[in-house]
Amino acid sequence: MSFVIDLDAERREVQYPNGIPVRFSGEQFIFPAELPAEVLDPILSDELDLVGLLGDVIESAEGDAGVKEVVNALFRRPSLPRKFLAAVRQSYEILLGDQYKDFLAARPSIGDYVRLTTGLAKVYGVELGKLFRSADSSENASETSSQTSPASTTDSTPEASGSAPDSPDSSDSAG
């Protein structure tokens, strides 16, 4: 039997069986080989309301948001930057577990968080833009897929809607 989705297939643990090693401030930190789903909980919390912020920005700009709209939305939520930083720290605490205190002791800067998050996103294969993209937006971003052109299906697609290709003995089968 073949599966459309095989969650038991080879995972990142095979590439990084002991976790993902990261060097920071002369220390080594080990991140989990697979990104735990709960790591997004602090970022997607109702208290932080980033989705609401994005909705306000898009609504205020009628779909064409610029820097001005983003800044205005941020000023309407003056505690958001502090809450966002707390959410980022909570996410790293989930990822690092017992190593988190040592990580904080190394005093990561905002740039460190940005570089580390960007690097981990690449290793984990996560693109935040795709996580928040609406379901009706479909784009072929796969390296192994290709768009199907109408020319490639003309020989196998019936001309009339609902018609089936001729097959011998199809009417003789008495199921």
Side-chain angles (χ1 to χ4, degrees), residues 54-76:
L54 292 174
D56 288 353
V57 168
I58 291 169
E59 183 180 312
S60 72
E62 297 175 359
D64 190 21
V67 173
K68 177 183 173 189
E69 288 78 18
V70 172
V71 170
N72 286 339
L74 285 173
F75 276 118
R76 286 191 297 271

Side-chain angles (χ1 to χ4, degrees), residues 7-149:
L7 293 177
D8 293 333
E10 196 171 287
R11 295 172 59 172
R12 202 162 284 102
E13 281 98 349
V14 174
Q15 283 181 294
Y16 305 102
N18 300 315
I20 300 167
V22 172
R23 183 185 256 330
F24 173 62
S25 192
E27 299 288 326
Q28 177 175 296
F29 298 94
I30 304 295
F31 285 79
E34 285 290 322
L35 184 66
E38 75 245 29
V39 89
L40 294 177
D41 290 346
I43 303 292
L44 299 176
S45 73
D46 291 340
E47 183 181 325
L48 192 57
D49 193 29
L50 285 181
V51 175
L53 171 72
L54 292 174
D56 288 353
V57 168
I58 291 169
E59 183 180 312
S60 72
E62 297 175 359
D64 190 21
V67 173
K68 177 183 173 189
E69 288 78 18
V70 172
V71 170
N72 286 339
L74 285 173
F75 276 118
R76 286 191 297 271
R77 293 171 171 83
S79 65
L80 181 65
R82 199 176 14 217
K83 287 179 181 178
F84 182 74
L85 185 55
V88 168
R89 287 180 176 147
Q90 285 178 311
S91 295
Y92 276 93
E93 185 174 11
I94 292 168
L95 285 170
L96 289 168
D98 293 338
Q99 303 173 86
Y100 181 67
K101 287 182 182 177
D102 292 336
F103 178 75
L104 276 185
R107 303 194 58 186
S109 68
I110 299 295
D112 292 330
Y113 279 115
V114 169
R115 287 186 294 278
L116 181 56
T117 301
T118 302
L120 287 172
K122 287 177 184 173
V123 173
Y124 285 131
V126 173
E127 294 182 45
L128 292 178
K130 288 186 179 183
L131 284 176
F132 294 107
R133 184 176 291 151
S134 74
D136 61 348
S137 169
S138 63
E139 180 180 310
N140 183 358
S142 171
E143 293 178 12
T144 58
S145 299
S146 60
Q147 294 288 343
T148 304
S149 70

